[in-house]
Amino acid sequence: MNNQVQQADVVIIGAGPSGAVAASLLVKKGWHVVVLEQQTFPRFSIGESLLPQCMSFLAEAGLEQAVQAQAQSLGFQFKNGAAFQRRGDQTTIDFTEKFSEGPGTTFQVKRADFDKCLADGAMQQGAETRYQHSVLAFTNCEDGALLDVTDENQQRYQIKGRFVLDASGFGRVLPRLLDLESASNFPVRWAFFSHFKDNISDPQFDREKILINVHPEHKDIWYWLIPFSDGTASIGVVGKPEQLEDKQPLAGLNEFIEQDSYLSGLLVNREAIGEARAIKGYSANVSSLYGEHFALLGNAGEFLDPVFSSGVTIALKSASLVAPLVDSYLRGEQVDFKNDYSEPLQQGVNCFRTYVSAWYDGSFQDVIFYSEKNQQVREMISAILAGYAWDLQNPFVKQSNKRLNTLVELCRD
């Protein structure tokens, strides 16, 4: 073990989207930022359908141009909305027709390419990124935190950061090391998913939208179909453990696809490529998003559910919120992480939670498929599904439960 303790202003655990954005924002302020990433990029990750709000955060971090360039060279799929299908009923939401100001379009991306693009962009701006470095321990000191780390050669060393950000996603490094794990209030759900050469020939199919498809018999089982520009797609099914257990991921996914006549017809010529995967019990929470000399970003703090693709948006919002606070903290200013980070972040997360919960009990599905839609209300809902869950000018954000419950009653009358 190298006995000399290395030094940094900020150590970020994880080089994914929240880590890359936080690193970019902080190096632009002149801080020495070291990013420790357990894996090697590019690497597979789920969460492939971005929301338009993401583009604002990428622009703020100076990463949007890199993403736009990659979109041209790698062919990221342009995305302008979401399509929904339930027992033959179909509807769409156009994100450009939304209540909130900001971008109305984004991309559907293979995360291996997208995440590497962001990580490379952060490095080009000055972040020092170390791949295959794993954090083993966190110890608070008077003026920062000491991390025990192993490098790519399994050699141990220590690095001290004046502040530490955990952007480790589902790795949830600090929640595990500091016993911050807290049970999610969402029921346990599983997901089976894989990439396919979709071979979709239906001329009515819109590749510029994610397709969210409700199981014909079970409102709490749903499918995603995320088209990519190269003729492939990410396809998955989500359900309760008892609905998916005793099935292998690919066989189970194909079995559920065949249970829906619309989806099976659309994907009649599909060819699986790559490995089929399963995620079990993915919802997670923590007792606190911050503590002495640290804060948690994105999925390292809380993950809700994949149904409205909110994960990357929440991750980037957390980085955007926390970076100026860390900057102030490093300059010796008083910082209130509860009032200026945890509570504002949670406000948007709770808005998403309202709509995710209502999706699974079927009430928001009834709103989505309601035929007599009010355009102004539709634009307010569109804004939330586009990621603008922190826009308190939107009544369906500010009073998410009350407004949605009223809307559900109107749609069901």
Side-chain angles (χ1 to χ4, degrees):
M1 179 173 177
N2 185 344
N3 292 322
Q4 184 175 357
V5 176
Q6 300 178 25
Q7 304 286 332
D9 294 314
V10 183
V11 178
I12 299 178
I13 307 171
S18 64
V21 166
S24 296
L25 291 169
L26 287 164
V27 295
K28 289 202 297 184
K29 294 292 187 179
W31 301 112
H32 176 207
V33 178
V34 174
V35 182
L36 305 176
E37 168 56 52
Q38 186 174 34
Q39 296 179 282
T40 301
F41 282 20
R43 55 89 178 95
F44 178 86
S45 181
I46 198 64
E48 298 148 317
S49 192
L50 306 180
L51 301 184
Q53 170 80 94
C54 292
M55 305 309 292
S56 300
F57 302 131
L58 295 177
E60 178 189 6
L63 296 171
E64 184 183 24
Q65 286 189 340
V67 171
Q68 295 286 0
Q70 288 288 77
Q72 294 294 322
S73 63
L74 295 176
F76 288 164
Q77 174 63 55
F78 178 81
K79 176 186 176 182
N80 60 14
F84 297 85
Q85 195 280 147
R86 181 180 68 173
R87 296 190 297 275
D89 289 336
Q90 298 181 38
T91 190
T92 61
I93 290 183
D94 185 338
F95 290 156
T96 67
E97 299 176 355
K98 57 177 174 50
F99 174 85
S100 302
E101 294 183 1
T105 63
T106 185
F107 300 102
Q108 296 178 154
V109 297
K110 295 181 181 180
R111 285 285 302 279
D113 296 328
F114 176 73
D115 289 11
K116 187 175 188 304
C117 172
L118 298 190
D120 287 351
M123 290 176 67
Q124 289 167 9
Q125 294 191 66
E128 179 185 345
T129 301
R130 305 175 183 179
Y131 289 106
Q132 294 182 289
H133 285 231
S134 300
V135 175
L136 306 178
F138 174 103
T139 306
N140 256 315
C141 307
E142 184 177 348
D143 55 350
L146 189 66
L147 300 179
D148 289 2
V149 184
T150 56
D151 65 16
E152 67 274 19
N153 299 313
Q154 299 304 305
Q155 297 298 307
R156 295 186 62 169
Y157 69 92
Q158 292 184 313
I159 183 169
K160 184 178 179 181
R162 295 174 59 195
F163 203 89
V164 176
L165 294 173
D166 186 351
S168 61
F170 289 116
R172 300 173 66 77
V173 171
L174 292 190
R176 289 186 292 103
L177 292 177
L178 303 180
D179 196 24
L180 299 173
E181 296 278 16
S182 176
S184 171
N185 57 5
F186 276 167
V188 174
R189 293 188 177 92
W190 291 9
F192 292 157
F193 56 94
S194 188
H195 283 183
F196 290 78
K197 186 176 181 182
D198 58 67
N199 293 314
I200 295 173
S201 59
D202 184 347
Q204 301 301 313
F205 181 70
D206 187 353
R207 299 192 74 87
E208 295 182 350
K209 293 177 175 64
I210 182 176
L211 173 63
I212 298 175
N213 194 94
V214 184
H215 190 278
E217 298 178 8
H218 304 282
K219 64 185 179 184
D220 57 349
I221 297 178
W222 64 278
Y223 312 79
W224 75 73
L225 196 168
I226 302 171
F228 302 122
S229 62
D230 61 358
T232 65
S234 172
I235 303 171
V237 63
V238 174
K240 296 177 181 176
E242 60 267 27
Q243 296 165 325
L244 274 65
E245 63 187 357
D246 300 326
K247 303 178 190 298
Q248 294 300 310
L250 183 58
L253 176 56
N254 280 319
E255 179 182 329
F256 275 100
I257 290 172
E258 292 304 318
Q259 292 172 11
D260 185 273
S261 59
Y262 173 75
L263 203 57
S264 60
L266 193 67
L267 296 168
V268 65
N269 295 315
R270 68 189 181 276
E271 303 171 47
I273 52 176
E275 178 186 359
R277 302 167 187 259
I279 298 180
K280 302 178 180 181
Y282 47 74
S283 296
N285 206 346
V286 289
S287 56
S288 178
L289 287 172
Y290 64 94
E292 189 175 3
H293 304 126
F294 77 87
L296 311 179
L297 305 182
N299 294 347
E302 180 171 7
F303 181 73
L304 294 175
D305 190 274
V307 66
F308 299 128
S309 306
S310 62
V312 175
T313 306
I314 293 171
L316 299 190
K317 176 66 174 182
S318 68
S320 176
L321 277 173
V322 86
L325 300 179
V326 174
D327 176 54
S328 296
Y329 174 87
L330 294 175
R331 296 182 191 281
E333 301 170 13
Q334 285 292 111
V335 176
D336 187 339
F337 282 95
K338 179 177 186 292
N339 187 66
D340 296 328
Y341 175 61
S342 180
E343 290 182 353
L345 181 64
Q346 201 63 44
Q347 179 267 318
V349 172
N350 287 340
C351 178
F352 279 125
R353 187 194 313 278
T354 295
Y355 291 88
V356 171
S357 298
W359 172 265
Y360 281 104
D361 69 27
S363 59
F364 188 47
Q365 294 180 27
D366 291 342
V367 170
I368 290 289
F369 291 101
Y370 185 61
S371 59
E372 300 176 17
K373 297 180 174 68
N374 176 287
Q375 183 61 24
Q376 184 180 32
V377 171
R378 185 179 181 83
E379 290 176 1
M380 292 176 180
I381 298 297
S382 175
I384 293 168
L385 297 185
Y388 295 90
W390 292 268
D391 180 7
L392 294 177
Q393 299 302 310
N394 185 344
F396 283 84
V397 170
K398 189 173 183 179
Q399 298 175 305
S400 57
N401 277 300
K402 180 181 177 180
R403 290 282 183 163
L404 181 57
N405 289 338
T406 300
L407 184 58
V408 168
E409 291 176 6
L410 290 173
C411 293
R412 286 178 167 178
D413 281 347

